Amino acid sequence: PESQPIPPSLVNIYKEIDAEYGRHANSTGNLKPWQDQGVLLLNNVLTVEAHKAGSHRGKGWEIFTEATIRYLDGNREHLVFLLWGRDARSKKSIINSEKHLILESAHPSPLSAHAGFFGNNHFRQANDYLREHQLSKIVW
């Protein structure tokens, strides 16, 4: 909800967008405008116990998220996969790089953003790729 504080990783995502474009289009944590443009944000594990990072790892979410990636890879063309962090980068092998753009970096978490997320230029690269394939750019 727009009344909630913006999560730290999203704060860093916005900082990177600001660095690339000089501004970002959203002032809240509500990402519906991205969803409306076709952006899917997908973590490897979709739930967690409060304040217990990784607590739901190995409980089946990984099967779901891998199946989702395989479906998108096999049924769409010219998608941009932003693989941020070790878990996400482990999915690279199931994505056809001949059909899609794969961009990899550190995770935007405050714990790792300075290890390669900041300065990755992924938002601009994604839009350049979309434009090259006559697809609508994302208004980040």
Side-chain angles (χ1 to χ4, degrees):
E2 293 185 9
S3 62
Q4 296 296 309
I6 299 174
S9 292
L10 184 55
V11 168
N12 285 341
I13 289 170
Y14 287 166
K15 285 180 183 177
E16 180 58 24
I17 294 168
D18 288 345
E20 292 181 36
Y21 286 102
R23 53 93 195 117
H24 62 275
N26 199 344
S27 61
T28 73
N30 183 343
L31 299 178
K32 184 155 181 5
W34 290 359
Q35 172 193 328
D36 292 345
Q37 298 175 82
V39 174
L40 171 65
L41 299 176
L42 183 66
N43 281 330
N44 195 38
V45 176
L46 303 180
T47 61
V48 65
E49 285 184 54
H51 313 293
K52 294 184 180 178
S55 59
H56 289 179
R57 190 180 301 258
K59 296 193 182 286
W61 281 122
E62 297 89 345
I63 296 166
F64 173 79
T65 53
E66 185 166 318
T68 301
I69 293 167
R70 286 183 186 279
Y71 177 84
L72 291 169
D73 175 68
N75 291 283
R76 297 289 302 275
E77 290 186 354
H78 309 303
L79 296 177
V80 178
F81 289 87
L82 305 172
L83 306 180
W84 296 336
R86 184 191 69 233
D87 287 348
R89 292 197 319 254
S90 74
K91 304 299 185 201
K92 181 179 180 178
S93 64
I94 65 171
I95 302 168
N96 182 343
S97 62
E98 299 293 318
K99 286 175 40 178
H100 308 291
L101 177 63
I102 302 170
L103 300 172
E104 302 176 67
S105 79
H107 192 276
S109 159
L111 300 174
S112 57
H114 291 284
F117 176 76
F118 288 133
N120 68 19
N121 223 18
H122 282 181
F123 301 100
R124 190 170 296 281
Q125 289 181 64
N127 275 342
D128 289 348
Y129 177 83
L130 293 170
R131 200 170 17 259
E132 286 170 17
H133 292 90
Q134 290 74 49
L135 299 167
S136 298
K137 70 177 187 158
I138 305 298
V139 177
W140 301 108

